[in-house]
Amino acid sequence: MDGIENGRRGRGPAAGPAAGLVAAVVGAGLVAAAPAALADTGRAADAPPAAKAAEPPEAFVALSLAVEGEAPLPGHETVLRATVANGDPDGELRGAQLAQHVPDDLEVLEVGADGVLEGGIVNWRVDLPAGGERDYTVRVRVREDARGAERLMTTACLLLERDADPTACASDTVVVASPTVLSRVSEAVDGAMLFRVAGAALLVGLGWLVWRRRAA
């Protein structure tokens, strides 16, 4: 309130000739500035629109990672699938690197898309056309001594340049299934069946040998 009251008090005494002089000077300045302001406005209207800033490549890149199928039992297989998408409709993605860590309890059986396994990490070179995407797979087997309900996390990261920080990362978890009574019985039956088949083959082989001897 003090500031406002002081301002009001300042306008009160200036109502005489000095106030008229100030008003005349200010008015002259506004009139003189008006043509220049109008000219600037005209030039601004005629100027072409500013070019839109280019989006960085990382703004178009997407990475996802998923474990396929149901939870595997110890000793069973599953597939880890990473998908890289280039959402840029005009620019290619060249020379990027995809690196995926595979936990020790997962034995790597096969690496797709010309990937290279080294020290528990799978590496791929990523080249994608504009608007393209590609899958990168790792086929793994859960180790026999893995515990049921154990959670094995795998993580993949995409680097647009080899020495740069990751542009995107994704993770998923392999949940090891717990062997059930039925699965144990099934494995036992499969083993017994295999034993019987092997025994039958042995008997057939022995019978064939006896027949040959008699025929001779």
Side-chain angles (χ1 to χ4, degrees):
M1 291 296 294
D2 292 340
I4 295 175
E5 290 174 356
N6 290 338
R8 288 175 179 170
R9 283 197 296 271
R11 287 196 296 271
L21 179 61
V22 171
V25 172
V26 173
L30 291 175
V31 171
L38 290 174
D40 291 341
T41 303
R43 285 195 297 270
D46 296 336
K52 185 179 178 180
E55 294 283 353
E58 54 266 25
F60 298 99
V61 174
L63 170 65
S64 61
L65 179 61
V67 178
E68 293 188 349
E70 300 178 352
L73 290 164
H76 288 226
E77 300 178 11
T78 189
V79 174
L80 315 177
R81 183 179 301 275
T83 303
V84 180
N86 177 21
D88 190 344
D90 303 315
E92 297 179 340
L93 180 63
R94 295 294 176 190
Q97 180 180 357
L98 177 64
Q100 181 175 350
H101 172 259
V102 180
D104 293 338
D105 283 336
L106 296 178
E107 178 187 359
V108 176
L109 302 177
E110 182 182 9
V111 176
D114 298 325
V116 177
L117 173 65
E118 184 176 354
I121 297 178
V122 184
N123 288 279
W124 295 272
R125 176 186 169 93
V126 178
D127 296 311
L128 292 175
E133 72 174 41
R134 188 176 183 183
D135 292 338
Y136 301 85
T137 59
V138 183
R139 186 165 61 89
V140 297
R141 178 168 54 214
V142 181
R143 295 194 182 277
E144 295 284 355
D145 57 354
R147 300 186 306 273
E150 187 172 358
R151 303 176 66 86
L152 308 174
M153 178 177 289
T154 176
T155 300
C157 288
L158 180 68
L159 296 78
L160 296 187
E161 297 180 2
R162 185 176 183 86
D163 298 327
D165 292 333
T167 299
C169 290
S171 298
D172 202 0
T173 303
V174 177
V175 180
V176 181
S178 298
T180 62
V181 174
L182 289 178
S183 67
R184 294 192 186 99
V185 170
S186 176
E187 291 176 358
V189 168
D190 291 342
M193 181 65 71
L194 180 62
F195 179 77
R196 286 197 296 270
V197 170
L202 180 61
L203 290 175
V204 171
L206 291 175
W208 181 75
L209 290 174
V210 171
W211 178 82
R212 283 199 60 184
R213 289 178 180 178
R214 289 180 177 178

